[in-house]
Amino acid sequence: MSDNDTAWIDLVAPRHLRGLDVYQPGKPVEELEREYGVTGALKVASNENPLGPAPRALAAAHAALASSHLYPDASGFALRTALGARLGVDPAQIILGGGSNELLYQLVTAFCDPDDEVVSHEYAFLSYRLAAQTAARPFVAARATADRRCDVDALIAAFTPRTKLVLLGTPNNPTGSVVTKAEMERIAAALPARALLVIDEAYGEYAAAWPEIDHARGADWLHAPRVMVLRTFSKIYGLAGLRVGYGVGHPALIELAGRVGRTFNVSAVAQAAALAALDDTDHVAKSAALARSAIERLTREVSGPGITVYPSLANFALIETGRPGKPIYEALLRRGVIVRPMAAWGLPTCIRVSVAAAEQMDRVIAALRAVLGPT
Ligand SMILES: Cc1ncc(COP(=O)(O)O)c(C=O)c1O
């Protein structure tokens, strides 16, 4: 963009959108291959499921395509009923979204007055900040701990009477860290009078692969009146491209959130695939086991002096490289491996690496070791 264009945008854009950084997704494989002239590139940058979509979901999606001339069920009845039965909640407690990302934006619009604050911590998922900023709501990032976990004391200290939405990922993206059960209880107990707590469990099914590690579970909060739990079919179910997620909360909150939703936001194919994916327990179990073994390998084979692989209960790990992450990211690109540089997340010396299938993980680890030096 020329300087003229920038000046013009500043003239027409509302104040809260001027200078706002848009979310930078991981580099697509095709783009890397085009730009760097490499083939067979491997992307471990978007926390996707390397095992692909749940097979049952794929079959259901194919079948649903035949009815593509019809609008989807706007109420998502079949999927919400199945989710309700599985979770032990009334379907009126469930809202569907075009990915849980869409629901995050929707919750900010539905629940926050213009001066209400959205609170999280400095290394939380970037969409929390963006959802607040695009709606012109103040975003407050509490300090994190030295090991980049949510600092519960700092988070609670950041609460004010204007705090309206507290957004917490557990496991958190990009750190992979979790909030413990006791920590979540402290946070919920400290919520200011008007505030709601959103537990973002996009990676919750992965955390189940680490049963020995204490972590808060959204399942324990499904009936708490001021808590909403967000989940997605993008991660362990492998349906990121279809865009479907859901939120569980008090029916009154669900109704309010629904007021700002777009009709037909979840396609019929996505609904059918998600419904079938729920029964694909085999795929879920395999995906969780693969993630745990890949994280353990990363920790064992990449950690070393100056290099920390942070403990993660998800399908990715944050790596502190002890030096600028951008050249490391580029060196890995030249080897055909796409990771995620973390400068935009306030972690300029870190990269984030998603898990890959076992053979591909060999390649990822070899590239990391070569670029990061002997460990
Ligand atoms: C913590 C967290 N929450 C929510 C999402 C949104 O996922 P989706 O919109 O695909 O459901 C992501 C995606 O990366 C995430 O990492």
Side-chain angles (χ1 to χ4, degrees), residues 98-101 104 125 128 173 200 202-203 232 234-235 243-244:
S100 50
N101 203 43
L104 285 167
F125 183 43
Y128 306 161
N173 175 13
D200 177 355
Y203 305 94
T232 181
S234 296
K235 304 299 175 181
R243 315 303 304 127
V244 51

Side-chain angles (χ1 to χ4, degrees), residues 111-136:
F111 297 147
C112 296
D113 273 311
D115 52 353
D116 282 345
E117 292 163 354
V118 178
V119 182
S120 193
H121 62 82
E122 58 184 326
Y123 302 128
F125 183 43
L126 272 190
S127 276
Y128 306 161
R129 176 187 296 275
L130 287 171
Q133 289 176 334
T134 53

Side-chain angles (χ1 to χ4, degrees), residues 23 46-47 97-104 124-128 168-174 200-203 230-235 239-241 243-246 316 340 345 352:
Y23 187 77
S46 297
N47 306 341
S100 50
N101 203 43
E102 179 178 64
L103 289 171
L104 285 167
F125 183 43
L126 272 190
S127 276
Y128 306 161
L168 279 185
T170 183
N172 177 55
N173 175 13
D200 177 355
E201 276 200 314
Y203 305 94
L230 294 187
R231 297 212 181 127
T232 181
F233 287 91
S234 296
K235 304 299 175 181
L239 302 179
R243 315 303 304 127
V244 51
Y246 62 98
F316 58 86
R340 195 70 159 264
W345 308 60
R352 192 193 66 197

Side-chain angles (χ1 to χ4, degrees), residues 119-121 142-143 145 149-160 163-170 172 177-200 215-216 221 224 226-228:
V119 182
S120 193
H121 62 82
R143 189 175 36 75
T145 62
R149 299 180 61 246
C150 171
D151 181 331
V152 177
D153 292 316
L155 185 81
I156 292 174
F159 291 170
T160 74
T163 299
K164 191 57 174 294
L165 267 187
V166 180
L167 302 178
L168 279 185
T170 183
N172 177 55
S177 59
V178 288
V179 173
T180 67
K181 197 165 184 284
E183 285 173 336
M184 196 61 90
E185 281 161 7
R186 274 186 64 207
I187 295 165
L191 284 180
R194 300 169 62 250
L196 303 170
L197 171 62
V198 177
I199 302 174
D200 177 355
H215 61 276
W221 295 92
R226 292 165 63 204
V227 177
M228 274 195 70

